[in-house]
Amino acid sequence: MSTLAPELTIALADYANPLDAADVVRLTDAYARDPMGGGAPLASEVCDRLVEGLAAQPGAFSLIARLDGEPAGIANCFIGFSTFAARPLVNVHDLGVRPEHRGRGVGRALLAAVEAEARRHGACKVTLEVLSGNEAAKALYAALGFATYALDPASGTAQFWEKKLR
């Protein structure tokens, strides 16, 4: 008896579709609960506003990975603009794969779909952030051509900083 490989599909989320909307919330919450996503669930009010908020953002898009129809991973992305290239760019804000589906090519397939969507928009690059201790993600990103960058090596590599507004 042979076991068939699961079917992996990647699709743009339709924020108006109740199934897609529920999967965006469920997958983003699963990512938030992971130690690399902060280790805490999304607040219920965030879950309630998430899809409506994404739909209201010009340039927001989400890609949902499904294995045999079951939600397995998500990439929440935003189209921005590179002033140095005078072209769009795509930032991967969230990339999460449910723990039970890791090691099956879901993250790699999501990033390939992000790149295809970025090319469709004429983007000059895809950006993302990664925690310095997330070795598995860094290995995947490096294998796919992502790297730290410097405008001038003498000035050092770019860093991602934040200032939270309350």
Side-chain angles (χ1 to χ4, degrees), residues 22-119:
D23 285 349
V24 166
V25 172
R26 183 169 34 176
L27 289 164
T28 304
D29 181 63
Y31 170 61
R33 291 171 185 263
D34 188 87
M36 295 303 162
L42 296 177
S44 61
E45 59 271 10
V46 171
C47 290
D48 292 344
R49 294 190 323 258
L50 180 59
V51 173
E52 180 182 335
L54 286 167
Q57 293 301 310
F61 66 92
S62 300
L63 291 159
I64 299 173
R66 292 185 174 98
L67 280 169
D68 288 337
E70 291 298 314
I74 190 155
N76 291 316
C77 304
F78 297 91
I79 299 171
F81 189 77
S82 169
T83 55
F84 285 13
R87 290 178 49 202
L89 62 81
V90 170
N91 176 258
V92 180
H93 188 70
D94 304 310
L95 180 70
V97 176
R98 294 181 61 98
E100 63 270 25
H101 298 301
R102 291 183 184 151
R104 299 169 81 182
V106 175
R108 181 177 296 271
L110 278 166
L111 286 170
V114 168
E115 184 174 333
E117 189 66 13
R119 289 183 187 283

Side-chain angles (χ1 to χ4, degrees), residues 14-25:
D14 174 355
Y15 297 134
N17 176 301
L19 175 63
D20 284 0
D23 285 349
V24 166
V25 172

Side-chain angles (χ1 to χ4, degrees), residues 145-163:
F146 288 87
T148 60
Y149 74 93
L151 299 175
D152 174 0
S155 298
T157 59
Q159 298 179 4
F160 187 84
W161 288 24
E162 75 173 357
K163 177 181 178 181

